[in-house]
Amino acid sequence: MSMNSVNSKLVKDAGHIAGEWCQADSGATIAVYNPATGEQLGQVPDMGINETRAAIDAASKALANWSAVAPKERARLLRCWFDLIIEHKEDLARLMTLEQGKPLFETRGEVLYGASYVEWYAEEGKRAYGKVFAAPTADKRALSIQQPIGVVAAITPWNFPNAMITRKVAPALAAGCTVVLKPSEETPFSALALMALAEQAGIPAGVINMITSSQAAAVGKVLTDDSRVRKLSFTGSTRVGKLLYGQSADTVKKLSLELGGNAPFIVFDDADLDAAVAGAVISKFRNAGQTCVCANRILVQDGIHDAFVARFKQAVEQLVVGNGLDDSSTLGPVINQAAIDKIAGMVDKAQSEGASLVTGGQRHPAGELFFAPTILTGVTQQMEIARQEIFGPVAPVIRFKDDAEAIAIANDTPYGLAAYFFTESHSRIWKVAEALEYGMVGINEGILSNEIAPFGGVKESGLGREGSSQGLEDYMETKYLCMGGIR
Ligand code: NAP
């Protein structure tokens, strides 16, 4: 099955600048492949420096009008975009499975999850408030107003090709900002389909501009060097996030950085075993282990270790590996050859360092980019697999004795995005939740992200929050007004 199964209105093979669908100046293109089959799905323009400058020009030009549109009208347009996304959810899901690989039940979930940010910020944009302060002297009045930051550059990854875009674009637009977006070259079609629906919703020309490119570093440099771009919102690896952080210093941009993670998933002796196993499976194997909040290390207390591993093995062996378009599949391929080679290398290295294989451990016959769901036990915090983001369907299990040891292992990483733990003790819930150095903590829960909550990390996992009212504030500046001479 190919792109023919998707509504042709949503299949765009052009970038979008100043309200026009356009090709690269050079005519160059990037091929996009289905990771489940290796089939070429189509191609998109390989844009570069000039097109990125043109997109910034367009966003700057559109800014004055868009920021002057009443928040209620911006909300109406966002709501219209939301309705169109929902109307086309099946096509968007199919398109995403084709270019990204995850099973249809997951892409259907991501389309709804992505749309929830558009709906939320359509509502939240109407509730951006200023403040009136108690003035220090009788002849003064002091207040603050909230204003859009300006032109926003957004750079997004391939693992959530829809939601990572709506999570940035919807609050930016609700706040009155305009956007230049560069999606990942691995998954541009989902981004362009969202663009087509935004255009249909009536979002004016130049408010959202999209650059597809294989020259991420060059495009990123134009976006960070341009002083008209007042904010950069990036989701991706910590390595690239640090690079963009440095590049943004010269123009002192506001930054939102949603970077990598190394999530601990802690199972205490008193955990509900069924809930812990179900939570570990969903947290670890969703999107074939390619989420930033994936359980990266499964820490299990001595007393429950063997029972947990036995049940976890049973559950993992029930995962159905296969093409995501097949409704029975629950585990799809990883994104590309480099990813599968890295995962296979990490699993081999962990075994050479002393870890034991419980299940899986090798590539899966379903196709070149499929890896069998894998559990390793006897992993220690010193091994590479416990220190690096795996980004694949591999669960390393670390055994621990007591709460202090679990917390020490959990925090022994430069990352601080998501953490999870399972316990039935309310004292432990508070003590452990407070001790974990993470931006988000799932307590007896393997899935924690939604539009109402502030999503983001601490330490080297990033800056800022997406979702919630905080996600809107991150696209606004506070301006203080001091009025004197009041008699
Ligand atoms: P990545 O290599 O950092 O790429 C992310 C985006 O940055 C892509 O659009 C990429 O373009 C672009 N890029 C690459 N090099 C760049 C440069 N020098 N300058 C400007 N842009 C550049 O990350 P990825 O492999 O796509 O995504 C996986 C990573 O994202 C993981 O570390 C994961 O944890 C993280 N992530 C974090 C969150 C979060 O919310 N914290 C959510 C999802 C993913 P191309 O793809 O076209 O090269």
Side-chain angles (χ1 to χ4, degrees):
M1 203 177 302
S2 69
M3 300 287 262
N4 297 335
S5 63
V6 179
N7 182 340
S8 59
K9 190 171 84 175
L10 298 185
V11 181
K12 294 287 182 189
D13 58 2
H16 196 82
I17 301 173
E20 301 290 335
W21 293 98
C22 40
Q23 296 300 321
D25 292 353
S26 66
T29 57
I30 318 166
V32 182
Y33 297 95
N34 180 341
T37 61
E39 171 203 14
Q40 184 175 331
L41 295 169
Q43 54 195 33
V44 295
D46 191 359
M47 296 173 151
I49 291 172
N50 290 343
E51 298 90 326
T52 308
R53 288 207 180 106
I56 301 171
D57 291 345
S60 304
K61 210 168 146 211
L63 182 65
N65 281 344
W66 181 247
S67 59
V69 170
K72 194 168 173 174
E73 172 61 7
R74 290 200 295 257
R76 190 189 65 74
L77 291 167
L78 282 169
R79 175 74 208 191
C80 199
W81 190 24
F82 166 78
D83 289 338
L84 286 167
I85 294 170
I86 297 298
E87 187 185 323
H88 294 91
K89 62 179 190 292
E90 191 58 27
D91 283 298
L92 292 168
R94 197 163 279 278
L95 186 59
M96 201 192 316
T97 293
L98 279 164
E99 67 175 350
Q100 201 270 344
K102 66 181 130 186
L104 272 176
F105 81 90
E106 285 194 40
T107 53
R108 287 178 183 130
E110 182 180 337
V111 173
L112 296 180
Y113 168 68
S116 73
Y117 287 92
V118 182
E119 182 184 43
W120 171 264
Y121 285 109
E123 296 156 354
E124 206 59 14
K126 294 188 251 175
R127 296 180 199 117
Y129 302 112
K131 279 187 182 157
V132 181
F133 307 100
T137 56
D139 63 340
K140 286 191 183 8
R141 297 292 182 272
L143 55 144
S144 67
I145 57 172
Q146 296 285 98
Q147 291 183 303
I149 286 186
V151 174
V152 171
I155 301 178
T156 52
W158 49 264
N159 63 344
F160 289 95
N162 174 304
M164 296 304 102
I165 291 174
T166 56
R167 220 156 76 159
K168 298 181 189 315
V169 174
L173 264 57
C177 299
T178 55
V179 177
V180 177
L181 180 110
K182 191 210 79 67
S184 169
E185 65 180 303
E186 307 273 5
T187 56
F189 284 120
S190 293
L192 296 171
L194 282 171
M195 183 72 244
L197 294 174
E199 185 180 43
Q200 195 184 329
I203 292 173
V207 171
I208 311 173
N209 304 275
M210 277 195 195
I211 293 290
T212 54
S213 178
S214 70
Q215 307 150 55
V219 169
K221 190 80 173 57
V222 175
L223 292 170
T224 52
D225 282 355
D226 198 308
S227 58
R228 293 171 298 172
V229 174
R230 294 312 318 143
K231 165 152 185 152
L232 172 72
S233 180
F234 170 78
T235 297
S237 61
T238 294
R239 181 187 70 78
V240 175
K242 286 181 180 177
L243 201 78
L244 294 170
Y245 198 172
Q247 285 176 208
S248 298
D250 252 2
T251 51
V252 194
K253 291 189 203 317
K254 297 264 175 196
L255 287 167
S256 287
L257 300 174
E258 298 283 355
L259 309 178
N262 181 0
F265 184 104
I266 310 170
V267 184
F268 288 102
D269 278 347
D270 66 346
D272 173 331
L273 191 53
D274 288 337
V277 168
V281 171
I282 190 76
S283 172
K284 176 70 253 184
F285 293 98
R286 188 167 66 102
N287 202 2
Q290 305 170 108
T291 85
C292 52
V293 291
C294 259
N296 206 52
R297 300 168 287 159
I298 307 211
L299 279 51
V300 190
Q301 199 165 7
D302 265 339
I304 202 172
H305 179 276
D306 294 353
F308 174 85
V309 170
R311 294 275 279 282
F312 189 38
K313 175 176 188 281
Q314 273 176 7
V316 167
E317 287 178 348
Q318 275 163 24
L319 291 168
V320 181
V321 180
N323 188 324
L325 288 179
D326 181 341
D327 264 321
S328 62
S329 299
T330 55
L331 193 80
V334 297
I335 192 70
N336 56 29
Q337 193 63 44
I340 198 155
D341 292 345
K342 178 185 148 208
I343 294 160
M346 284 176 106
V347 169
D348 290 348
K349 182 150 184 226
Q351 290 178 87
S352 73
E353 289 173 331
S356 307
L357 190 65
V358 175
T359 187
Q362 72 280 312
R363 292 160 204 257
H364 190 278
E368 282 191 16
L369 301 184
F370 290 84
F371 200 84
T374 297
I375 302 176
L376 294 163
T377 52
V379 173
T380 66
Q381 178 61 9
Q382 283 64 47
M383 294 181 187
E384 182 197 51
I385 202 157
R387 309 200 77 86
Q388 277 195 17
E389 203 175 20
I390 303 167
F391 245 53
V394 177
V397 178
I398 301 176
R399 191 189 269 268
F400 70 89
K401 288 195 181 55
D402 55 27
D403 296 28
E405 188 187 8
I407 290 163
I409 295 172
N411 288 342
D412 181 18
T413 168
Y415 295 108
L417 191 59
Y420 308 84
F421 65 92
F422 280 67
T423 177
E424 295 291 289
S425 152
H426 75 279
S427 298
R428 197 176 244 159
I429 284 178
W430 278 106
K431 294 283 181 193
V432 176
E434 286 164 359
L436 288 169
E437 296 164 358
Y438 288 83
M440 298 174 283
V441 181
I443 302 160
N444 297 325
E445 261 301 339
I447 294 267
L448 41 64
S449 180
N450 54 58
E451 77 281 15
I452 60 116
F455 186 105
V458 300
K459 293 162 74 177
E460 293 183 21
S461 287
L463 299 173
R465 293 291 180 272
E466 295 189 321
S468 80
S469 52
Q470 210 175 327
L472 183 69
E473 284 160 23
D474 281 5
Y475 288 90
M476 303 191 94
E477 289 280 19
T478 298
K479 185 180 282 174
Y480 161 51
L481 307 180
C482 179
M483 300 174 69
I486 313 248
R487 287 179 282 276

